[in-house]
Each structure stands twice: as C-alpha cells, then as structure tokens.
Amino acid sequence: MTDLSTALELAPVVERVHGDNHPELTRVRELTEQISQSAVATETTQLFRELRTITQDYAVPSDGCEAFTSVYDSLRAADASHAKA
C-alpha cells in the first residue's frame, strides 16, 4: 500500500473517531482526497503546504491513536516523496 493510499483509507476513520476534539481532521481528509485526484504538481504542492499548516507539520496530538499516527506519518512520507519529484 502506498503512503497516500494508507492515508486515504484511514483519514475518514480518524475523522469519525477524533473529529469532535480535532475539527481540522475534516480538512485533512478533504485535502488527502484532493491530493489523490490531483494531476497538477503545483496544485499538489499547494495542497501539501496547507496540510503542513493545519497539522502543524504532521504533529500527532497527545490523544491521537495508532491510526491517527499512521495517517500523519503516511501524509508526511507522501509529502516528502512529492517534494523529491
């Protein structure tokens, strides 16, 4: 499974479980979906920039579960791969 596919699979679950305490997770899910559908590098770069901002550079909060960590780790890795491309 690729980094982005892991995030795509788990982001809705994490949003459902942690969304009440972390409303930014709705936008994380939306951005993850947009990145997966984006074919334009400059658009993808902007989407990752917004993700870094709203996640505070993919910092998992203290109440984050293993799936929460997996989403942010996957997004961080996808972001790094995109930056190298």
Side-chain angles (χ1 to χ4, degrees), residues 25-44:
L25 289 171
T26 297
R27 188 66 182 141
V28 169
R29 177 189 48 77
E30 292 169 349
L31 288 167
T32 301
E33 291 169 353
Q34 289 175 351
I35 289 167
S36 74
Q37 298 170 2
S38 177
V40 181
T42 55
E43 178 184 5
T44 303

Side-chain angles (χ1 to χ4, degrees), residues 6-84:
T6 298
L8 275 169
E9 180 182 329
L10 294 177
V13 175
V14 172
E15 177 188 13
R16 188 172 54 250
V17 173
H18 293 280
D20 288 345
N21 292 331
H22 299 282
E24 72 278 5
L25 289 171
T26 297
R27 188 66 182 141
V28 169
R29 177 189 48 77
E30 292 169 349
L31 288 167
T32 301
E33 291 169 353
Q34 289 175 351
I35 289 167
S36 74
Q37 298 170 2
S38 177
V40 181
T42 55
E43 178 184 5
T44 303
T45 299
Q46 291 172 334
L47 295 169
F48 274 121
R49 185 177 302 127
E50 185 177 347
L51 264 177
R52 286 190 303 274
T53 299
I54 66 172
T55 64
Q56 300 176 348
D57 288 322
Y58 308 108
V60 178
S62 60
D63 63 342
C65 65
E66 188 175 320
F68 202 132
T69 301
S70 291
V71 169
Y72 277 21
D73 286 349
S74 298
L75 289 171
R76 182 184 302 108
D79 190 354
S81 293
H82 172 72
K84 290 178 185 176

